[in-house]
Amino acid sequence: MLSDMTAPNDRTHMNRTPCSPANSILEGDLELAVQQQTLKKLTIAETPDGFYVVAQLKWAGNKEWYLTTRRERDQPRLFKDLKRLNDHLKMAYPTDSVEILRNQQLPPQGEPPAPVTAAPQPEKKAKKTTKKGDL
């Protein structure tokens, strides 16, 4: 039994920060956090479409990190089956406890990254050269 279970009518977790590359974490990075014992809390959020994982890391204060994929860093990775997700979490991220929040919403998508454009190059000034001996 989890000691920090949220009351069924408590909707405070529904207002999550938007998911963006700035607060997303990949599976390999989350595995590394578990190995280095920097994982503070792992939460599963249930939505009508499935389940997603939110992690808190000890070094990041209360910032929440969404488990995402490389291709879609602006939305959490969605799992359809809770049992398979739980089995996956046990294998990949062995922790003592996991918090499950029911009746959640998907977080809004963050701002898309700014397109990379070529910045105008400053004009190069001709270098002054001197002959040896001219000072």
Side-chain angles (χ1 to χ4, degrees):
M1 192 80 179
L2 298 173
S3 60
D4 56 343
M5 289 294 291
T6 305
N9 295 330
D10 183 7
R11 302 284 178 153
T12 57
H13 288 85
M14 291 185 72
N15 297 325
R16 295 199 182 275
T17 57
C19 183
S20 70
N23 65 348
S24 67
I25 189 166
L26 300 173
E27 290 211 25
D29 297 329
L30 191 53
E31 286 178 24
L32 186 59
V34 171
Q35 290 171 1
Q36 295 176 344
Q37 298 178 349
T38 59
L39 181 64
K40 180 165 120 180
K41 183 178 179 182
L42 204 58
T43 303
I44 299 172
E46 179 187 36
T47 70
D49 298 321
F51 304 89
Y52 64 93
V53 177
V54 180
Q56 287 183 332
L57 304 173
K58 291 177 182 176
W59 54 266
N62 289 329
K63 181 176 179 178
E64 294 182 328
W65 299 84
Y66 299 105
L67 181 63
T68 63
T69 63
R70 284 192 195 283
R71 289 186 180 180
E72 297 178 356
R73 296 297 295 260
D74 60 348
Q75 59 186 1
R77 179 177 174 193
L78 208 56
F79 296 85
K80 298 294 182 183
D81 185 82
L82 182 58
K83 181 177 179 350
R84 286 185 182 165
L85 171 58
N86 188 44
D87 291 344
H88 176 68
L89 293 177
K90 282 183 196 176
M91 293 293 294
Y93 324 112
T95 58
D96 290 335
S97 66
V98 173
E99 180 180 41
I100 299 176
L101 301 174
R102 300 199 184 278
N103 301 319
Q104 301 295 295
Q105 301 289 326
L106 281 171
Q109 289 185 348
E111 294 295 318
V116 178
T117 58
Q121 298 293 324
E123 290 183 31
K124 291 184 179 181
K125 295 182 181 179
K127 292 182 180 179
K128 293 182 180 178
T129 56
T130 61
K131 294 180 186 176
K132 285 187 178 181
D134 287 348
L135 296 176

